[in-house]
Amino acid sequence: MKRFMKLSLCLIVALSCIGLIPSSHAQGKKTLTVGFDQNFPPFGYVNKGKYVGFDIDLAREAAKRMGYKLKLQPIDWDSKDMELDSGTIDCIWNGFTMTGREKQYTWSKPYLNNRQVVVVKKASDIKSLKDLKGKIVSCQKESSTESALNSAKHKALTSSFKQLLKVSDYNTGLMDLTSGGVDALCMDEFVAKFQIKDKTDTYRILKQTLSSEKYAIGFKKGNTALRDKVQKQMDAMIKDGTFASLEKKWFGDSGEGEAEKTAATSSLLSDLKDLGSGMLTTLQIFILTLLFSLPLGLVIALGRMSKNGLLRNIVKVYISIMRGTPLMLQLLVVYFGPYYMFGVDVTSAYRGIAVIIAFVLNYAAYFAEIYRSGIASMPKGQYEAARVLGYNSVQTFFIIIMPQVWKRILPSITNEVITLVKDTSLAFSIAYAEMFTQAKALAANERSMMPFVAAAIFYYVFNFIVAALMDYCEKRMSYYD
């Protein structure tokens, strides 16, 4: 019982340390959780390890006036509707286009006008929209740009493209444009001006636009109570000049404001420093996954080898599912499943817990098969000798068999552990801010590949250390060689 209490206490401490369960401080105040795309400057992005942007400032001021604690939650843009429906965020506040989506959300009043433009290389022969015929054009998935290109108005234009590529974020699109992978990139005008403002000798924006639209704050359909509270503060900010002040701060009179001043300088050292919190999160996923999946894998392996046919087949199906479906899909199911399958609202705090659950369940299945192969490889003579020496079955397994099994399966375990280091990046699929997610956000802000280089160095060094440690363990266990 004492051991159980100690284990439970350690688990609670571990979860609290990584913010997987809410702290008492957070429980004492109402929270406004704002979902946003952290790769969408100047409305919301990462600068020097902090979330900044025009919409971030608006949300921060509104929450302050409402007496709410503000929680800024980066989301995967493809999953924004699932995030809102499941209750992990209260609203989408991130240069969010209401035009064409009026019936899908409960909206605030529009607060900004925007246009959809086309960015091309400076030396490109594309001068107008009709010149896009036969070209490869790119846009962001689930964006208003994609909606504009798929509208009846632009049906003929879109069908004239050689190909329409849909990328996850604008930074990827710009890198595609730079490398020659695409001929043109369609995007929001505010974002385009921010992205190319110091690269006007490389890119230009076509004078013709695709469409115009209005930005507003999107709430879950029917959540008029929260919408009205936020709208009241927005109206007050417009009336007392706060909105105009923030608008001038970020966009200025000529489109150059705070965004110009806060654009981060890209260097390997500064990027490694900014990626610090992401590195810590990656380490936490790695350690907690190993901590729980290694013992769970042994239990599953014993179930897989059980003489009980029902138990054996249940475990066999479980392993088959875990190994036969992508980990990314399992992350989405574990995170959004409680709401969509059982109607249970989940909170943003569940995001980290879902990551650990999905990783543990997945890796335990792989470890189980490794354990099973090791146990099955042991000769029957080992069991017979232990019985002759007076060991019971439990003593035989843990004192005689398992030490030898560990030695045999260590190389296979090492391979899985190294794979786990790289797989931690899959947590981005539910917008958990591990290091790869942070690197993408920094790259969007800096418009540079340097954050990815910094991330690659971290992964390599981390794997190098893990491999060295496992190699040391193998040598220590080679006592008969």
Side-chain angles (χ1 to χ4, degrees):
M1 187 65 181
K2 287 182 178 179
R3 287 185 178 178
F4 176 77
M5 294 293 291
K6 287 180 180 178
L7 181 62
S8 300
L9 182 61
C10 290
L11 176 61
I12 292 171
V13 171
L15 295 178
S16 298
C17 286
I18 64 171
L20 297 182
I21 58 177
S23 67
S24 58
H25 176 75
Q27 292 172 343
K29 202 172 182 180
K30 286 186 176 180
T31 300
L32 175 67
T33 305
V34 172
F36 70 104
D37 179 357
Q38 62 177 343
N39 304 317
F40 201 66
F43 294 95
Y45 62 104
V46 179
N47 190 291
K48 297 179 181 176
K50 296 180 179 178
Y51 297 126
V52 297
F54 175 61
D55 282 342
I56 300 298
D57 276 357
L58 286 176
R60 188 171 284 117
E61 181 64 22
K64 179 183 174 184
R65 294 185 182 206
M66 291 163 61
Y68 279 41
K69 174 184 172 64
L70 177 66
K71 179 175 175 56
L72 298 169
Q73 180 58 61
I75 58 174
D76 180 60
W77 199 243
D78 293 344
S79 305
K80 61 182 181 301
D81 292 339
M82 289 194 289
E83 295 272 6
L84 198 58
D85 289 343
S86 60
T88 55
I89 59 173
D90 295 316
C91 62
I92 301 170
W93 198 336
N94 187 205
F96 194 27
T97 304
M98 69 179 297
T99 309
R101 296 172 171 145
E102 289 84 352
K103 296 181 180 179
Q104 298 177 33
Y105 306 89
T106 290
W107 292 97
S108 69
K109 296 175 186 174
Y111 61 87
L112 208 61
N113 294 318
N114 180 52
R115 297 186 300 176
Q116 302 298 326
V117 298
V118 180
V119 180
V120 297
K121 280 187 177 178
K122 185 86 171 181
S124 171
D125 59 352
I126 301 172
K127 307 295 182 187
S128 65
L129 294 180
K130 67 178 183 181
D131 294 333
L132 294 173
K133 182 179 180 180
K135 304 292 186 183
I136 300 176
V137 180
S138 176
C139 70
Q140 186 182 20
K141 287 186 292 185
E142 293 290 320
S143 67
S144 52
T145 311
E146 182 185 1
S147 299
L149 290 171
N150 290 330
S151 67
K153 180 182 176 182
H154 293 299
K155 185 176 180 181
L157 173 69
T158 307
S159 61
S160 72
F161 298 162
K162 180 179 180 181
Q163 187 179 4
L164 176 61
L165 289 179
K166 298 166 188 175
V167 295
S168 59
D169 57 76
Y170 286 135
N171 187 52
T172 303
L174 275 172
M175 288 193 289
D176 254 356
L177 183 61
T178 304
S179 63
V182 300
D183 300 301
L185 172 64
C186 303
M187 60 196 302
D188 289 18
E189 185 176 29
F190 281 111
V191 183
K193 285 183 175 178
F194 174 85
Q195 294 282 17
I196 71 169
K197 63 180 179 291
D198 54 355
K199 295 183 179 180
T200 51
D201 57 338
T202 306
Y203 307 107
R204 58 183 167 82
I205 299 174
L206 299 188
K207 291 181 179 178
Q208 280 183 287
T209 60
L210 291 169
S211 63
S212 59
E213 60 186 16
K214 295 180 185 298
Y215 285 167
I217 310 163
F219 298 82
K220 186 176 180 178
K221 190 74 174 177
N223 192 1
T224 54
L226 182 59
R227 187 273 310 275
D228 292 344
K229 286 182 181 178
V230 173
Q231 186 60 56
K232 183 179 178 182
Q233 304 309 323
M234 285 290 285
D235 291 341
M237 282 191 274
I238 291 171
K239 188 176 181 180
D240 65 20
T242 302
F243 183 90
S245 175
L246 290 176
E247 191 176 23
K248 187 174 183 179
K249 169 187 171 183
W250 283 99
F251 306 119
D253 297 326
S254 59
E256 293 183 357
E258 188 70 15
E260 177 72 21
K261 298 175 188 174
T262 59
T265 302
S266 180
S267 73
L268 189 58
L269 188 61
S270 65
D271 286 337
L272 282 171
K273 185 179 177 183
D274 289 342
L275 288 173
S277 63
M279 293 176 185
L280 184 60
T281 303
T282 295
L283 283 171
Q284 288 163 343
I285 296 172
F286 174 79
I287 292 170
L288 287 179
T289 299
L290 285 185
L291 184 65
F292 294 114
S293 63
L294 280 171
L296 180 60
L298 180 58
V299 174
I300 295 170
L302 295 176
R304 177 78 171 82
M305 303 174 74
S306 170
K307 294 179 180 178
N308 184 310
L310 177 62
L311 175 62
R312 189 171 61 249
N313 286 324
I314 290 174
V315 172
K316 192 175 179 180
V317 170
Y318 162 75
I319 292 174
S320 176
I321 293 173
M322 290 295 111
R323 296 200 305 175
T325 56
L327 176 55
M328 189 183 296
L329 176 63
Q330 293 164 19
L331 281 162
L332 292 171
V333 170
V334 171
Y335 184 52
F336 292 114
Y339 175 77
Y340 284 99
M341 291 191 287
F342 307 110
V344 178
D345 286 339
V346 295
T347 66
S348 185
Y350 175 62
R351 194 180 306 269
I353 297 174
V355 168
I356 300 304
I357 291 174
F359 269 84
V360 168
L361 291 178
N362 179 277
Y363 270 83
Y366 284 93
F367 287 141
E369 287 299 88
I370 294 174
Y371 282 126
R372 187 172 69 88
S373 65
I375 295 170
S377 69
M378 296 302 297
K380 288 184 179 178
Q382 295 281 334
Y383 294 91
E384 294 168 353
R387 198 178 304 122
V388 170
L389 291 173
Y391 288 95
N392 61 34
S393 57
V394 175
Q395 289 174 323
T396 300
F397 184 75
F398 287 105
I399 298 175
I400 304 297
I401 302 300
M402 277 311 292
Q404 299 179 74
V405 168
W406 269 112
K407 181 183 175 184
R408 295 187 179 200
I409 66 175
L410 204 52
S412 300
I413 292 284
T414 301
N415 281 337
E416 288 301 320
V417 172
I418 288 174
T419 302
L420 171 60
V421 174
K422 294 176 283 186
D423 276 357
T424 54
S425 63
L426 294 176
F428 86 92
S429 59
I430 57 172
Y432 195 57
E434 46 68 55
M435 196 185 58
F436 182 67
T437 306
Q438 295 285 72
K440 282 182 66 180
L442 278 174
N445 176 32
E446 298 174 359
R447 289 146 281 164
S448 157
M449 284 290 292
M450 196 59 75
F452 293 127
V453 174
I457 290 173
F458 169 79
Y459 282 120
Y460 178 76
V461 172
F462 191 5
N463 264 326
F464 183 83
I465 293 172
V466 169
L469 285 173
M470 298 303 281
D471 187 53
Y472 172 78
C473 291
E474 283 187 46
K475 289 179 179 175
R476 291 279 297 176
M477 298 183 78
S478 301
Y479 34 77
Y480 294 130
D481 297 340

